[in-house]
Amino acid sequence: KLGKAKTMQESFPEMIKTIKTSLPEIKLTEEAEIKYFKGKLGVKKIYQDALQANELRSYVNIEEVLDVFPENNQLFDDAFKKNQNLKIFEICGNSPQAKERIEKSNKKHFYKILPNDMTLIGQDVLLYNNRVAVIHLKGQINGVILHNTDLFQNFKLLFDFLWKMIPDLPKR
């Protein structure tokens, strides 16, 4: 019995190596972090957080956002001055406010406009730094940030697919 135990002990490292190479490594799942923001001041913190990223994607109805947050044009313009690496990609509804904003926008602020028969209603969705932020603009203003890499990657994938499908705007 002692001899068998010694043989088993000597071959144990080789068995472990075989198990590790033949079975896929299990990745630890990242836990989701959820933050809730209430009211205009709370939601403003979401925009400030998002504008610190190097890359921001957004589905937005500019008209609705500016009705609630008229200061956002200035907030976004200032963000480009503070964060030289910032690039913003926005898919927005077709409105006079959107077209006016596009005309005045920074060269690192890219836009695609949805077809006339498609309207984004009541939400601003921001994708940045492994976060998905959803801002509710109607009634009680509030927002939530979901920090989860897998969720972010899926939303980013769908955004990028839609971005490719929407025609480019005429050159400014």
Side-chain angles (χ1 to χ4, degrees), residues 3 13 18 20 33 43 56 63 74-75 81 98 116 124 170 172:
T18 303
K20 282 186 174 181
E33 179 183 355
V43 169
L56 169 63
E63 184 177 7
Q74 192 61 51
L75 183 70
K81 293 173 189 165
N116 288 333
D124 188 1
R172 310 182 235 165

Side-chain angles (χ1 to χ4, degrees), residues 40-116:
K40 284 180 70 172
L41 288 177
V43 169
K44 189 172 181 176
K45 290 178 184 175
I46 296 174
Y47 285 116
Q48 291 168 338
D49 184 49
L51 291 169
Q52 292 179 28
N54 287 339
E55 198 170 271
L56 169 63
R57 289 168 174 76
S58 174
Y59 298 97
V60 61
N61 181 321
I62 291 175
E63 184 177 7
E64 286 184 356
V65 169
L66 293 179
D67 282 348
V68 178
F69 296 98
E71 67 278 7
N72 266 18
N73 280 341
Q74 192 61 51
L75 183 70
F76 277 61
D77 291 343
D78 291 346
F80 282 108
K81 293 173 189 165
K82 292 176 188 172
N83 182 355
Q84 299 295 313
N85 298 320
L86 178 62
K87 287 184 183 177
I88 299 176
F89 301 87
E90 290 193 307
I91 295 175
C92 56
N94 192 351
S95 70
Q97 290 89 341
K99 290 177 181 172
E100 181 181 328
R101 180 65 186 154
I102 291 167
E103 287 299 315
K104 296 177 182 178
S105 68
N106 182 298
K107 296 293 183 207
K108 291 185 185 181
H109 200 159
F110 307 97
Y111 292 89
K112 296 275 184 130
I113 294 185
L114 289 170
N116 288 333

